[in-house]
């Protein structure tokens, strides 16, 4: 049975090695950028999770992420029904990943489309942000989880619970 002193030492050691929120956010931005494509999960009409690949815009200063889609896709209807979503970005080169749990909303005004446009999306939307076949999905973060061994950000060794950041509501 560990002594109180041993438990205190483990606690202090773990805390001293924990990365800062700023370091975790910087690493998470890098993982999202290097992943390029991410898995986006919504809840189907029966409550079953539905996943598909998306090409998100890099996170902004609040870690809000924007995704372009056709307004007729299943995901737009699913977001209207239930705004809870998950975005999983995996950097294969480093085996680092970021899971972002958030609330999504559909944004269709031209000013937002222009402000949150990603050049790569022109391959799908040749008319750019002005096209009628485009709606943006704004994902506001609730919780971010990160594992990036190459950056020294690993989860709990026993439970594998990743490092996490909770965002203000």
């Amino acid at each position: 049975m560990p002594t109180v002193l041993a438990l205190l030492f483990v606690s202090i050691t773990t805390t001293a090695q924990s990365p800062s929120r700023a370091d975790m956010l910087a690493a998470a931005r890098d993982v999202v950028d290097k992943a390029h494509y991410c898995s986006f999960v919504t809840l189907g009409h029966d409550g079953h999770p539905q996943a598909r690949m998306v090409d998100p815009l890099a996170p902004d200063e609040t870690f809000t992420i924007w995704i372009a889609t056709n307004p007729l896709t299943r995901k737009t209807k699913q977001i209207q029904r239930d705004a809870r979503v998950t975005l999983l970005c995996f950097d294969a080169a480093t085996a680092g990943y970021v899971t972002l749990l958030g609330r999504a909303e559909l944004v269709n005004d031209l000013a937002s489309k222009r402000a949150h446009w990603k050049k790569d999306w022109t391959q799908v939307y040749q008319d750019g942000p002005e096209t009628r076949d485009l709606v943006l999905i704004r994902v506001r973060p609730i919780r971010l989880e990160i594992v990036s061994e190459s950056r020294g950000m690993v989860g709990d060794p026993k439970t594998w619970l990743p490092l996490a950041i909770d965002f203000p509501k």
Side-chain angles (χ1 to χ4, degrees), residues 124-140:
V124 177
Y125 306 100
Q126 287 84 20
D127 294 334
E130 287 79 16
T131 185
R132 291 179 149 186
D133 295 331
L134 167 73
V135 66
L136 294 178
I137 301 169
R138 175 177 28 214
V139 179
R140 294 178 191 226

Side-chain angles (χ1 to χ4, degrees), residues 50-125:
Q50 302 279 310
R52 76 279 287 154
M53 298 307 293
V54 295
D55 179 11
L57 185 64
D60 68 14
E61 64 281 347
T62 65
F63 223 88
T64 295
I65 293 182
W66 295 81
I67 300 164
T69 193
N70 181 307
L72 302 177
T73 61
R74 289 181 303 162
K75 64 183 155 289
T76 61
K77 290 164 187 54
Q78 292 164 347
I79 289 167
Q80 289 170 337
R81 193 175 315 109
D82 190 329
R84 294 175 297 165
V85 299
T86 300
L87 189 70
L88 172 65
C89 303
F90 176 67
D91 174 14
T94 65
Y97 72 88
V98 168
T99 303
L100 185 72
L101 287 74
R103 296 197 64 79
E105 68 181 290
L106 303 175
V107 179
N108 202 20
D109 65 275
L110 186 55
S112 293
K113 290 179 184 181
R114 286 179 177 157
H116 303 287
W117 180 253
K118 183 175 181 177
K119 183 180 170 188
D120 292 357
W121 295 340
T122 306
Q123 296 172 18
V124 177
Y125 306 100

